Amino acid sequence: RCADVTGVQTCALPICPDLQKLKEDAKLSDITKTVTMNYTTYYECAVKTDTWIEWYHSQKKIFESAK
């Protein structure tokens, strides 16, 4: 899968997995587990994405300085 980052399509950017959904009849314990799991998934993906963006900008600076 690919993503669009600041107008540039890239297939290297980590794509976040889908978050878990709750069933209509979910118990409070299920809700707590799902919220915890989704927060963890979101945070891990955000860290990977931020790291990739930082790497991309450093590579762009190197490329532009070589012109």
Side-chain angles (χ1 to χ4, degrees):
R1 297 189 301 186
C2 299
D4 188 357
V5 178
T6 61
V8 177
Q9 187 178 24
T10 177
C11 295
L13 183 65
I15 302 299
C16 295
D18 292 336
L19 299 177
Q20 293 184 359
K21 295 183 173 130
L22 290 169
K23 296 178 184 176
E24 284 189 37
D25 60 345
K27 297 177 183 175
L28 183 57
S29 60
D30 294 332
I31 294 169
T32 303
K33 287 177 190 176
T34 302
V35 168
T36 302
M37 186 87 81
N38 283 347
Y39 178 80
T40 302
T41 300
Y42 169 80
Y43 181 77
E44 288 172 350
C45 189
V47 168
K48 289 177 187 177
T49 301
D50 290 346
T51 302
W52 186 91
I53 290 170
E54 187 177 315
W55 172 86
Y56 171 81
H57 287 296
S58 69
Q59 295 300 307
K60 185 177 177 184
K61 283 181 185 177
I62 293 168
F63 175 77
E64 289 174 350
S65 69
K67 287 183 182 180

